[in-house]
Each structure stands twice: as structure tokens, then as C-alpha cells.
Amino acid sequence: MPDEMSRRLILGRSDGEARHFEDAVSNPSTPVIGILGTGDFSRSLARRLVASGYQVVVGSRTPTRFVALFPEEAEVTTQLEAANKADLIFVAVYPEHHSTLMDLKQALAGKTLVDVSNGLSINHKGPSNAELLADYFPGSFVVKGFNTVSAWTLQMGARDGGRQVFLCSNSQTAKNLVKSICHRMGFIPVDMGLLSSSLEIENLPLYLFPSWRLPVLCMLLLFVFFYLYNFVRDVLHPYITEHKSVFYKMPIKVVNVTLPCVALVMLALVYLPGLLAAVLQLWSGTKYNRFPNWLDRWLTSRKQLGLCSFLCAVLHAVYSLCGPLTKPVKMAVQEVDEDVWRKELYLSAGIMALGLLSLLAVTSLPSVAGTINWREFSFIQSTLGYCALFMATSHTLFYGWNRAFVLAQYRFYMPPTFILVLILPFVVLLGRVALCLPCVAGRLRKIRRGWERNRHIRFMLPAEDCCNGVEDVSDV
Ligand code: NAP
């Protein structure tokens, strides 16, 4: 990174970029941009601004120290001189040092200050760094922004990394000025309103996959549970009852029977909240009652749950492909017809389930989802999603075959794992079938169009609506 930072991104005065710069300097409407601080962010920003045709003046406590690291088109001077010369100033110093800039109060009065700082940890209470800066400099117009853009992105240009810049300010004029600078640098400004939004903007780069926490935790807990269950049945049981040591099964075999269990239960968990929501709406006879918070959270985590399920399914496929490599080569034995059928069926259902899950995963990508309309998206995620659940359930059923009825399979009185795994998918599939019954689907469709049992708002749905609601029932 330091190498990259000191690499010259801006070309010499003689080339096109420099010409652009000269145009800007000669254009009196182009504001002079000041930057306070000479750190990583300041250097990258200065390079980007110069490349975008702005005149840049950098203010430092020790101007001579870092001058060589800035493009020669940028002027590096004292903080006071930079504050006096610039029309708009980026404050690229850490927030704990904002108070050391108080001597510049007069020079910065009436000017726009862009606070690019981030906090050390997520702050929900406030005040934000930008609000504190506005308190220090009441005569200036503080705009919060650019804190979500890294020095690396600035140096590489907007073609790499995130292109959105979140902005907020109490002054619309100051915000518009910063917006125009964003556009010119190749970024997309996103107006977040007043300076009170700055707390949220400062928190944005500090979040660590907030929407993934619950699904990943759920996946890990399920994995631990099924791994231990399979370990007791497949490794501990033969050791205790027959003194047979099969601990070598732990890294691949036990993991490979655990992964599909997690994948199938997670897939069922994707569709269960939709069913619960439908049941709640039928129960209360209206769609205008709020769902309980836990259900709301569950509904919004469906995409992540689905992707976790997909991950486990893919890993299961890879482990299964590696399986033959780890097994000793046996003499070919004539397999009984029934066994051949079982293997063919469960492999085929498994491959189909994985194919459908891949389709669901691909269409959940924002760039792909943006190219299809809502009905197509709902068809893939709902109808094809249920097909994937059906195929994965069939895969497990074929795998289990008739072992549910073999007493020897109940080791330590524990039922075979596939029986446990099948409970939730069965509930979801049967629930879905129940919601498709004409009397139930009809009532649900009316509720989703605003009908309310207690208010006696009665209306008939158009005939065609009554026939195409198959995808509707889980569209919560
Ligand atoms: P840095 O490399 O440590 O630079 C901070 C600069 O602040 C110093 O070079 C120093 O320049 C100046 N400064 C002014 N008064 C100071 C004081 N009293 N004590 C210490 N330094 C003082 O930090 P940075 O990475 O450029 O980050 C600067 C700001 O940008 C931070 O608020 C950070 O949250 C924000 N930011 C950084 C990035 C990034 O990728 N680096 C991304 C988004 C936001 P002089 O010695 O020349 O005065």
C-alpha cells in the first residue's frame, strides 16, 4: 500500500491531465479546493482533484516535510494560507485533532468545510464528528462526505471500488457545490439530507456485515448440532459398541453428511417466514397489522439464509466429488437393482437442487435482479425456490430410502439424521400446498389487495387475478 500511495498517478504537466488543470485554473468559476492535512487521504484526494482539473492548495503544520509526495500542480503551504486561499476546504485530519484547527476560524468563516472523518467505533448516540466540527466553526458550512471512499479508491479513480459518495449538510448551496465536485471526479453523490444524518454516514464504513450476523450464526449452530449428532451416530457408536475406530471419518465423511443437513434446513428457513406471515395475515384478516419484530427480521434475512444454504450445498457437492479419491479401490461388485435406483435418483435430485439453488443465488445479485421485473424475480425466488426445496427434500428422501424403518439405524435410540432434517422442509412444503388451496389462496389474495375482515370492505378481484396467484402466496 505505501508503494502504491507514493506511486505517481498524475501525469506530467505536458500531457492531457495537465492541460485540463490549466483550463481549470484559467476558469474563474472553478473553486480553489483546500485540503487540511497531508496524510494518506489528503495525498490521494489531491491527486484526484488535480486530475479532475481543480486547483488544489494543501495546508500542513509542516509544509516542507511532505511536499514531495504531492503532485507538483498542488500547492503545499501552511494551514492558514491554505484556508485563506481556498473556497472550499476538505478537513482530512482525525476528528480528535479538529480542535487544533480553531486558529483558522476566521479564515474559514463563510466557507464550505467537508468533513471526511470516520469514528473509531459505531456511534448511535451522537453527536457526530461533523456536528462537533460545525459547533467548532459556526461561521462555516459543514458538509459530511467522502468518509466512505478510501484513499485507495481515490487514487485508483472512480472506476475501481465504490462510486457512491454519501453527502449531508444543513446548507443546500454547500452540498450542491460538493455534489458538483463529486460528479467531476467521477463519483455519484447520494444526498442524505441534513447534517443530522452524518452520524449514520460515519457509521457506514464501520459496519461488519450487519445483515449476515444472524444467518451465519444460524448456519454455524446448525453445523455444530448436526456435526455432533452425526459424530455420535457414525463415529462414537461403532467405537463404543464394536471397539471399531473410525475417527478418520471426522474430517471428510462426517462433514459431508453434515453439510447437506445444514443446507436443507437453511433452505426451509428461507421459506418458513413467508408462510408464517401468510398465516398471520389470514388469522388477523388484514395485511395492515405489523408483523412481530422477530418475523420482520427473519423476513429481511431470507436472502442471506438462502446464500448460506447455497454455500453448504456447493461444499457438499465438492466434498462428494472428492469422496471417491479418499476411498480405497474395491473390486467391482454387482450392485442390487434397488441400490442402483436409489443412487441414481438421489444423485439426480441433488444435482437438480444444486442447479436451481445456483439460479436463485445468481438472481439475488443486485446487478442481475436489476435486469428482471418484479414478477420474474418473484417467479424465480418463490416458485423455483420451492422447486429447489422440493428437489433437495427428494434428494434426502432417496438418500434415506427405507432406512427409517430399519431398527439398527436407531443407534443409541437416535433416529437417522435425515429424519430430523426432513421435518422442517416437510412442514414448509405442506404449508405451501395448504396455502394454494383455492379457498385459502383466494382469501389471502383479497387480504393482500387491502380487504379487511373487521372493516367489512368487500370487493371482488378481477377473474384473471384469481387464476394467476400461485406465486402470490409467499410474496411477503
Ligand atoms: P493520516 O495519514 O494520519 O493523516 C492525518 C493528517 O492530519 C496528518 O498527516 C497531519 O498533517 C494532519 N494533522 C493536522 N493536525 C494534526 C494534529 N494535531 N495531530 C496529528 N495530525 C494532524 O490520516 P488519513 O488516513 O489521511 O486520514 C485523515 C482523515 O481522513 C481521518 O479523519 C480519516 O478518518 C479520514 N478518512 C481516511 C480514509 C483513508 O483511506 N485513509 C478514508 C476515509 C476517511 P500535517 O502534519 O501535515 O499537518
Side-chain angles (χ1 to χ4, degrees):
M1 187 82 171
D3 284 354
E4 288 294 340
M5 297 296 292
S6 53
R7 188 162 56 90
R8 276 183 55 80
L9 187 86
I10 312 301
L11 307 169
R13 272 178 198 280
S14 56
D15 49 45
E17 303 263 23
R19 254 180 273 121
H20 195 177
F21 169 72
E22 277 157 21
D23 284 352
V25 176
S26 58
N27 183 354
S29 67
T30 304
V32 176
I33 313 282
I35 307 174
L36 293 177
T38 52
D40 293 342
F41 192 85
S42 167
R43 291 199 295 273
S44 305
L45 181 65
R47 287 169 189 278
R48 222 41 259 149
L49 285 168
V50 168
S52 304
Y54 285 103
Q55 187 184 349
V56 176
V57 49
V58 180
S60 169
R61 292 168 303 165
T62 47
T64 46
R65 204 165 150 209
F66 297 108
V67 67
L69 294 174
F70 282 84
E72 55 193 73
E73 294 88 345
E75 183 187 350
V76 183
T77 178
T78 61
Q79 288 181 336
L80 186 63
E81 203 178 333
N84 277 325
K85 279 187 178 172
D87 302 306
L88 175 146
I89 296 104
F90 283 87
V91 184
V93 305
Y94 281 104
E96 39 286 34
H97 303 139
H98 282 172
S99 57
T100 64
L101 305 173
M102 292 293 272
D103 293 346
L104 309 175
K105 210 172 192 171
Q106 219 178 351
L108 295 175
K111 295 184 178 175
T112 299
L113 297 185
V114 185
D115 174 34
V116 302
S117 67
N118 281 315
L120 283 177
S121 56
I122 294 172
N123 171 7
H124 288 300
K125 289 194 189 129
S128 66
N129 301 335
E131 285 168 324
L132 286 175
L133 188 71
D135 286 346
Y136 287 137
F137 299 96
S140 308
F141 307 106
V142 174
V143 178
K144 180 81 212 179
F146 282 90
N147 59 310
T148 52
V149 182
S150 69
W152 168 257
T153 306
L154 279 169
Q155 202 172 77
M156 286 294 109
R159 62 189 179 280
D160 265 359
R163 296 189 65 213
Q164 287 184 330
V165 172
F166 299 92
L167 298 175
C168 71
S169 173
N170 289 341
S171 160
Q172 193 58 42
T173 320
K175 199 159 51 177
N176 287 343
L177 185 58
V178 181
K179 273 186 194 173
S180 66
I181 295 171
C182 281
H183 280 302
R184 196 151 156 180
M185 288 166 78
F187 291 104
I188 301 165
V190 180
D191 194 332
M192 299 283 283
L194 298 176
L195 202 63
S196 49
S197 307
S198 55
L199 196 63
E200 186 51 26
I201 299 182
E202 282 169 17
N203 284 335
L204 283 177
L206 302 176
Y207 289 130
L208 185 71
F209 303 116
S211 53
W212 282 89
R213 242 174 250 164
L214 217 62
V216 170
L217 186 70
C218 182
M219 179 175 73
L220 291 178
L221 288 179
L222 281 172
F223 186 88
V224 171
F225 170 75
F226 282 116
Y227 187 89
L228 290 178
Y229 195 87
N230 289 321
F231 172 77
V232 172
R233 279 179 46 84
D234 300 342
V235 180
L236 217 54
H237 183 267
Y239 184 71
I240 290 175
T241 56
E242 302 162 40
H243 297 290
K244 205 165 125 192
S245 172
V246 284
F247 286 93
Y248 64 85
K249 287 184 176 179
M250 284 172 64
I252 291 197
K253 195 119 191 278
V254 182
V255 172
N256 196 24
V257 284
T258 302
L259 284 170
C261 302
V262 183
L264 187 51
V265 174
M266 295 285 286
L267 190 59
L269 289 178
V270 174
Y271 292 99
L272 190 59
L275 289 183
L276 292 178
V279 170
L280 273 180
Q281 288 179 334
L282 285 166
W283 179 268
S284 53
T286 174
K287 70 166 186 174
Y288 297 111
N289 283 358
R290 261 188 63 84
F291 293 134
N293 281 345
W294 59 266
L295 186 56
D296 251 349
R297 240 181 125 188
W298 193 353
L299 285 163
T300 51
S301 302
R302 285 180 294 178
K303 174 178 163 178
Q304 288 78 6
L305 286 168
L307 288 174
C308 287
S309 163
F310 176 62
L311 171 72
C312 293
V314 170
L315 289 176
H316 170 53
V318 176
Y319 269 96
S320 302
L321 288 176
C322 295
L325 300 178
T326 61
K327 276 185 194 151
V329 183
K330 283 185 192 159
M331 294 294 287
V333 274
Q334 191 68 42
E335 283 182 295
V336 267
D337 241 13
E338 190 185 290
D339 219 31
V340 177
W341 268 104
R342 184 183 79 89
K343 276 187 190 159
E344 298 279 315
L345 284 170
Y346 97 70
L347 273 179
S348 172
I351 292 166
M352 290 293 281
L354 185 62
L356 287 167
L357 273 179
S358 314
L359 191 66
L360 298 186
V362 170
T363 44
S364 73
L365 295 173
S367 54
V368 180
T371 61
I372 52 180
N373 67 28
W374 169 245
R375 185 136 193 243
E376 291 161 346
F377 181 79
S378 135
F379 170 75
I380 293 173
Q381 293 296 333
S382 176
T383 311
L384 292 189
Y386 270 102
C387 291
L389 182 62
F390 177 75
M391 280 298 167
T393 308
S394 311
H395 174 63
T396 315
L397 270 175
F398 289 132
Y399 171 79
W401 206 245
N402 59 359
R403 279 187 286 163
F405 310 107
V406 178
L407 205 62
Q409 291 294 326
Y410 290 75
R411 301 169 197 157
F412 291 139
Y413 301 104
M414 294 162 87
T417 322
F418 72 91
I419 294 185
L420 290 192
V421 170
L422 283 171
I423 296 171
L424 213 52
F426 262 121
V427 170
V428 173
L429 288 171
L430 290 176
R432 168 74 180 190
V433 171
L435 286 186
C436 285
L437 295 176
C439 54
V440 183
R443 156 112 6 166
L444 193 59
R445 215 175 299 120
K446 278 206 294 184
I447 289 173
R448 298 226 166 124
R449 288 293 187 99
W451 180 88
E452 286 189 275
R453 191 177 50 212
N454 294 338
R455 290 221 187 153
H456 302 291
I457 302 170
R458 300 189 184 283
F459 58 82
M460 295 287 287
L461 288 175
E464 93 228 31
D465 250 358
C466 300
C467 327
N468 69 359
V470 185
E471 304 102 56
D472 260 17
V473 288
S474 66
D475 286 352
V476 182

